[in-house]
Amino acid sequence: MLERLQPRAPDKIIGLMQAFRNDPRPDKIDLGVGVYRDAAGLTPVMRAVKAAERQLCDTQTTKSYTALTGDPAFLQAMAGLVLGAAAAPERLAMAAAPGGTGALHIALALVRLASPGARVFVPDPSWPNHAAIADALGLTRVPYRYYDAAAQTVDEAGMLADLAQAGPGDVVLVHGCCHNPTGADLTPPAWQRLGALLAGRGAPLLVDLAYQGFGDGPEADVAGLRAMAETLPEMLIAVSCSKTFGLYRERVGAVLALTGSPAARATAEANLAALNRTTYAFPPDHGARLAGMVLADPDLRADWAAELEAMRTRIARLRSTLAEALTAQSGSDRFGFLAGQKGLFSLLGATPDQVATLRETHGIYMIGDSRINLAGLSEQDVPRVVEAFLKVGL
Ligand code: LMR
């Protein structure tokens, strides 16, 4: 039977991560996979997470099962971090999941249970795994315009026109902040207009929130989705703790489902529990417990917030440094947009050939659509990167 399986190309992002690891050149530069890196090029375990881990190691008395929906303290803490007071707890169904991907998978599986013919409206462009997960679940995908590549901003008019096609039983996927791959986010008024468009349509939002704290800060980054929680009758949020807590390999995430009523909340949560049960039974606990502990302890939380802020400002500084160097060397301000975009990613606007030359000749790795991870840069790499970008004709 297994010989009938079709060959599969590796995931573009993960395949590139592997190619980078296999490249023997000592001066290679990784602007590919979206992980935060510090000035030394490392992806650290955050201080507060490490402290919580020591505490947990000393005090945990059992590793017996939690609930199918995960550790309730973790879920409460995530609801507070993401939604604050914007959602009534009696309308909020929650379940932990393995990372943002697990949360997206379970959220879309919940949509499929509620609405088997659901169409998933996905921004163009988007993180490639969005399409892959929707396809794996057999859901129909509808791309909607999101990015104006010439203006390097959100194509709000295109987005609203395309989303006017969404109807009852559909779901609209949006990025909560730090849009991946463009770094172009909705402004507060654009969120309002999106909410007004969707309010009466019966097509809930599914917000992918994977970079809270990497844009304008942990509160500002969720202002848009909180406004939606106050406006829309239903909403799903897939939260990832990979970047915000540096917990990547621990696989920490959650689905927060805002339902229309307390009765609908109980049913949604029972369905989330059943989906977890048939997919992996219990979601991973270790990293989720750590995130919950960090958020519940005022000292750990303050230290985590300070470290997250330092990460955010480093990314913002790298954005300005790169934009300024490109402006100075190219004599034009065509790269100025890099400074104003949010989070780890921007699209450079390079062709696939230019991306290949940068990788093969200059040892600079980026995703094929010319997405760069700004945190992959170090200050001392900037002159070399700028020279290479201009050399390939950018
Ligand atoms: C990325 O976009 O590079 C990250 O979200 C990592 C991943 O899993 O693709």
Side-chain angles (χ1 to χ4, degrees), residues 138-156:
L139 291 163
T140 304
R141 259 189 298 125
V142 183
Y144 67 85
R145 279 172 283 173
Y146 182 79
Y147 189 59
D148 180 339
Q152 287 120 355
T153 55
V154 174
D155 175 6
E156 190 190 327

Side-chain angles (χ1 to χ4, degrees), residues 180-340:
N180 179 3
T182 70
D185 281 351
L186 300 178
T187 59
W191 276 106
Q192 295 293 351
R193 287 187 282 268
L194 175 65
L197 177 83
L198 294 178
R201 270 175 200 280
L205 274 183
L206 166 55
V207 182
D208 180 356
L209 185 66
Y211 298 92
Q212 185 178 1
F214 275 41
D216 291 323
E219 290 288 306
D221 287 350
V222 290
L225 80 82
R226 285 183 183 176
M228 296 303 95
E230 281 161 0
T231 320
L232 298 174
E234 289 185 330
M235 183 163 108
L236 293 157
I237 308 171
V239 193
S240 167
C241 295
S242 294
K243 286 87 184 178
T244 305
F245 291 85
L247 281 163
Y248 306 88
R249 67 173 65 165
E250 297 290 356
R251 311 312 299 139
V252 186
V255 179
L256 310 179
L258 186 65
T259 62
S261 69
R265 186 209 74 80
T267 308
E269 203 157 284
N271 277 272
L272 287 170
L275 286 167
N276 271 1
R277 181 66 175 149
T278 51
T279 317
Y280 35 74
F282 296 87
D285 181 72
H286 182 74
R289 200 160 288 269
L290 298 178
M293 289 167 71
V294 166
L295 292 174
D297 179 302
D299 292 340
L300 292 182
R301 187 176 181 130
D303 191 40
W304 162 76
E307 192 168 359
L308 180 61
E309 178 61 10
M311 290 156 78
R312 187 186 78 77
T313 49
R314 174 178 145 72
I315 298 164
R317 202 169 50 245
L318 283 164
R319 283 189 171 280
S320 320
T321 306
L322 181 62
E324 280 161 23
L326 279 164
T327 303
Q329 293 301 314
S330 69
S332 99
D333 66 356
R334 64 184 186 277
F335 298 101
F337 70 94
L338 292 171

Side-chain angles (χ1 to χ4, degrees), residues 97-110:
T101 297
L104 284 162
H105 182 91
I106 293 299
L108 284 175
L110 188 74

Side-chain angles (χ1 to χ4, degrees), residues 6 10 16 47 52 99 138 142 170 178 200 205 216 245 337 369 391:
Q6 295 300 309
L16 190 78
R47 294 184 302 264
V142 183
D170 294 332
C178 306
L205 274 183
D216 291 323
F245 291 85
F337 70 94
D369 58 3
K391 222 177 218 163

Side-chain angles (χ1 to χ4, degrees), residues 59-227:
T59 57
Q60 193 168 45
T61 54
T62 181
K63 289 200 184 280
S64 179
Y65 295 125
T66 55
L68 285 174
T69 48
D71 173 22
F74 163 69
L75 294 169
Q76 287 305 331
M78 292 315 292
L81 180 68
V82 172
L83 284 161
E90 61 273 15
R91 283 176 50 209
L92 204 55
M94 301 189 280
T101 297
L104 284 162
H105 182 91
I106 293 299
L108 284 175
L110 188 74
V111 166
R112 189 176 61 173
L113 282 177
S115 175
R119 297 179 300 166
V120 189
F121 284 71
V122 181
D124 180 18
S126 199
W127 183 46
N129 218 15
H130 287 150
I133 297 167
D135 291 353
L137 286 164
L139 291 163
T140 304
R141 259 189 298 125
V142 183
Y144 67 85
R145 279 172 283 173
Y146 182 79
Y147 189 59
D148 180 339
Q152 287 120 355
T153 55
V154 174
D155 175 6
E156 190 190 327
M159 174 182 83
L160 294 177
D162 290 350
L163 291 182
Q165 311 306 313
D170 294 332
V171 64
V172 174
L173 197 154
V174 292
H175 298 228
C177 65
C178 306
H179 182 270
N180 179 3
T182 70
D185 281 351
L186 300 178
T187 59
W191 276 106
Q192 295 293 351
R193 287 187 282 268
L194 175 65
L197 177 83
L198 294 178
R201 270 175 200 280
L205 274 183
L206 166 55
V207 182
D208 180 356
L209 185 66
Y211 298 92
Q212 185 178 1
F214 275 41
D216 291 323
E219 290 288 306
D221 287 350
V222 290
L225 80 82
R226 285 183 183 176

